[in-house]
């Protein structure tokens, strides 16, 4: 079958990026973050390719259960923890590890009776103000967990950085100071850094790191590309030309007729649109690679198609290959053209896009 829109995954690049994480954090163990369908790359496939990571992290209990049902037996931590007794029972049943961040979880733990036990990651809120205990409750929670039969010892200790992608921001330093101060009398292992922490804040490298985006080869810093950190993009998004058309002066293209032809222009129509996850608000002149040549988006992105100016590759034919992002066209750049961050583009790939693996091929 010939595919129209499809994503190719370079799993060698994924392994390369994991090795890079270990270069940046040589003394840390790696909790590989594969939530949200592994940032759009496919949960099971990525878990299989990242067997060297010490632990996997997902956001939710249901994501962890899916991994177990697919036969993944590695350690799995659930970053949002449990919020009801059913999820707590699932944590026990499926042998998961869990972030404990709020008082209602402590209440549920008090009442649970089980022969089984699990590892806990006790979370301190150092300024993200999303999940996590404040300093006083953190100490109380730690004491309670010490006496809980279902919690394994020692208890791991974690926090999450809010502004690590801004290297000028003083908040990260404040968060680090508060965290190290709060945990100094405890013996558990520490975990702080996401990708931006790993790449930008050496003091955030503790016993465990939690890379997400950088595993997929992408930079968390705006204006910087993954390649600047030695990373290689895992996903490239492909499609093809399905029609070309010669436009006359004054012709408009697509819904709303926003783009108007200023000189006779050869236009190409590409089979990809917002229903595939291509960003609808990509601005005019967003780059697209046609036959390896950079051309510009013109007109509005529609559900199934986009249109490009083919002035620079006049020999283009229907069927010719197109790359929307990937190795030679960083998704970081496309994100900037769509006023978003690369995370949303990767996670936003929809079910219509088939994902294929690039067979051990180095490029
Ligand atoms: C998503 C997440 C990460 C990974 O973040 P990246 O910026 O993708 O590296 C790490 N820790 C927590 C708690 C998260 O929710």
């Amino acid at each position: 079958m010939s595919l129209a829109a499809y994503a190719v995954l370079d799993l060698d690049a994924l392994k390369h990026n994991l090795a890079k994480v270990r270069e940046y954090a040589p003394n840390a163990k790696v909790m590989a973050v594969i939530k949200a369908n592994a940032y759009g790359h496919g949960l099971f496939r990525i878990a299989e390719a990242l067997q060297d990571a010490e632990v996997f992290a997902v956001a939710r209990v249901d994501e962890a259960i899916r991994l177990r049902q697919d036969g993944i037996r590695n350690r799995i931590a659930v970053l949002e923890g449990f919020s009801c007794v059913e999820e707590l029972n699932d944590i026990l049943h499926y042998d998961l590890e869990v972030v404990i961040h709020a008082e209602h979880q402590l209440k549920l733990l008090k009442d649970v009776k089980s022969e089984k036990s699990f590892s806990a990651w006790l979370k301190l809120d150092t300024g993200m103000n999303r999940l996590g205990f404040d300093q006083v409750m953190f100490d109380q929670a730690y004491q309670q967990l010490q006496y809980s039969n279902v919690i394994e010892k020692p208890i791991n200790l974690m926090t999450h950085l809010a502004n690590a992608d801004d290297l000028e921001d003083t908040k990260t330093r404040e968060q680090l100071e508060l965290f190290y101060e709060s945990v100094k009398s405890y013996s558990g292992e520490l975990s702080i850094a996401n990708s931006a922490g790993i790449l930008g804040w050496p003091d955030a490298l503790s016993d465990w790191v939690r890379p997400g985006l950088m595993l997929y080869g992408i930079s968390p810093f705006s204006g910087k590309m993954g390649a600047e950190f030695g990373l290689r993009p895992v996903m490239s998004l492909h499609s093809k030309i399905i029609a070309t058309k010669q436009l006359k002066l004054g012709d408009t293209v697509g819904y709303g007729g926003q783009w108007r032809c200023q000189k006779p222009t050869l236009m190409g129509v590409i089979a990809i649109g917002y229903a595939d996850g291509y960003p609808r608000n990509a601005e005019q002149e967003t780059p697209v690679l046609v036959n390896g040549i950079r051309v510009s988006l013109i007109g509005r992105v529609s559900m199934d198609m986009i249109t490009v100016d083919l002035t620079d590759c006049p020999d283009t034919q229907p069927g010719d290959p197109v790359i929307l992002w990937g190795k030679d066209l960083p998704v970081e750049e496309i994100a900037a053209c769509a006023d978003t961050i690369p995370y949303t583009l990767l996670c936003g790939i929809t079910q219509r896009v088939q994902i294929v693996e690039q067979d051990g091929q180095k490029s």
Side-chain angles (χ1 to χ4, degrees):
M1 187 179 61
S2 149
L3 299 169
Y6 60 100
V8 178
L9 299 189
D10 179 352
L11 296 180
D12 283 346
L14 184 74
K15 288 169 190 165
H16 165 90
N17 298 333
L18 176 58
K20 276 284 159 198
V21 171
R22 296 199 193 278
E23 270 177 42
Y24 281 96
N27 301 315
K29 286 175 273 190
V30 175
M31 184 185 277
V33 181
I34 57 172
K35 61 192 177 188
N37 197 29
Y39 291 49
H41 295 64
L43 186 60
F44 176 68
R45 177 187 299 109
I46 296 298
E48 270 203 314
L50 285 178
Q51 286 298 311
D52 283 350
E54 282 81 1
V55 173
F56 291 138
V58 290
R60 304 189 184 149
V61 176
D62 58 273
E63 295 177 299
I65 293 175
R66 215 165 308 144
L67 282 168
R68 286 282 181 258
Q69 288 173 341
D70 284 343
I72 298 293
R73 305 179 62 164
N74 309 54
R75 293 173 62 184
I76 304 174
V78 179
L79 295 171
E80 291 177 3
F82 53 88
S83 56
C84 59
V85 67
E86 291 81 4
E87 285 179 347
L88 177 52
N89 289 334
D90 283 337
I91 300 274
L92 286 157
H93 179 75
Y94 288 100
D95 202 10
L96 306 174
E97 308 186 9
V98 70
V99 174
I100 301 202
H101 55 76
E103 283 186 70
H104 67 271
Q105 295 176 309
L106 299 177
K107 293 203 189 78
L108 290 167
L109 277 173
K110 261 192 181 142
D111 296 335
V112 75
K113 296 208 169 27
S114 173
E115 304 283 284
K116 288 184 157 181
S117 60
F118 56 81
S119 288
W121 298 79
L122 184 62
K123 187 166 192 175
L124 178 70
D125 181 1
T126 53
M128 181 75 162
N129 284 320
R130 207 174 50 178
L131 302 182
F133 293 102
D134 66 24
Q135 222 178 343
V136 173
M137 266 313 297
F138 182 74
D139 291 328
Q140 290 178 21
Y142 185 87
Q143 300 310 332
Q144 181 186 323
L145 296 184
Q146 280 300 334
Y147 293 106
S148 169
N149 290 330
V150 292
I151 301 292
E152 286 164 21
K153 313 294 175 319
I155 297 161
N156 307 299
L157 306 160
M158 70 178 284
T159 194
H160 193 41
L161 300 173
N163 299 10
D165 60 337
D166 181 352
L167 296 173
E168 308 293 301
D169 200 308
T170 54
K171 179 162 187 144
T172 302
R173 187 122 336 270
E174 290 160 24
Q175 286 193 266
L176 292 173
E177 276 167 22
L178 177 57
F179 183 67
Y180 285 125
E181 176 63 27
S182 306
V183 300
K184 67 172 190 280
S185 56
Y186 300 144
S187 60
E189 296 190 331
L190 308 181
S191 174
I192 306 167
N194 56 2
S195 297
I198 295 164
L199 295 170
W201 299 89
D203 291 349
L205 305 173
S206 47
D207 302 307
W208 287 86
V209 291
R210 303 191 306 271
L213 193 68
M214 74 178 286
L215 286 174
Y216 308 98
I218 309 305
S219 159
F221 302 104
S222 84
K224 290 206 155 98
M225 305 295 153
E228 296 173 48
F229 300 95
L231 303 172
R232 286 166 48 192
V234 175
M235 180 196 290
S236 52
L237 181 61
H238 297 247
S239 186
K240 62 183 179 185
I241 297 279
I242 56 170
T244 60
K245 189 181 288 284
Q246 188 64 51
L247 301 175
K248 307 182 299 298
L249 193 68
D251 284 349
T252 62
V253 172
Y255 290 115
Q258 272 186 334
W259 186 87
R260 186 177 293 274
C261 191
Q262 308 287 340
K263 59 174 175 31
T265 301
L266 180 66
M267 181 198 74
V269 182
I270 298 167
I272 195 131
Y274 61 78
D276 302 288
Y278 193 84
R280 182 178 176 278
N281 61 338
E283 64 191 19
Q284 304 295 315
E285 299 191 17
T286 297
V288 173
L289 290 181
V290 174
N291 286 316
I293 296 165
R294 252 174 197 254
V295 303
S296 293
L297 186 74
I298 57 177
R300 266 193 202 156
V301 172
S302 48
M303 184 184 285
D304 313 306
M305 286 172 265
I306 59 172
T307 40
V308 293
D309 179 342
L310 292 177
T311 304
D312 294 334
C313 38
D315 299 328
T316 300
Q317 300 296 324
D320 282 359
V322 173
I323 292 179
L324 290 312
W325 62 67
K327 187 164 68 70
D328 298 317
L329 186 56
V331 69
E332 293 93 324
E333 194 179 341
I334 306 304
C337 291
D339 193 24
T340 185
I341 52 176
Y343 295 81
T344 68
L345 298 187
L346 298 178
C347 295
I349 289 291
T350 68
Q351 291 231 315
R352 184 163 73 176
V353 177
Q354 290 217 31
I355 298 184
V356 298
E357 285 168 29
Q358 176 178 315
D359 283 324
Q361 210 177 301
K362 292 239 162 54
S363 52

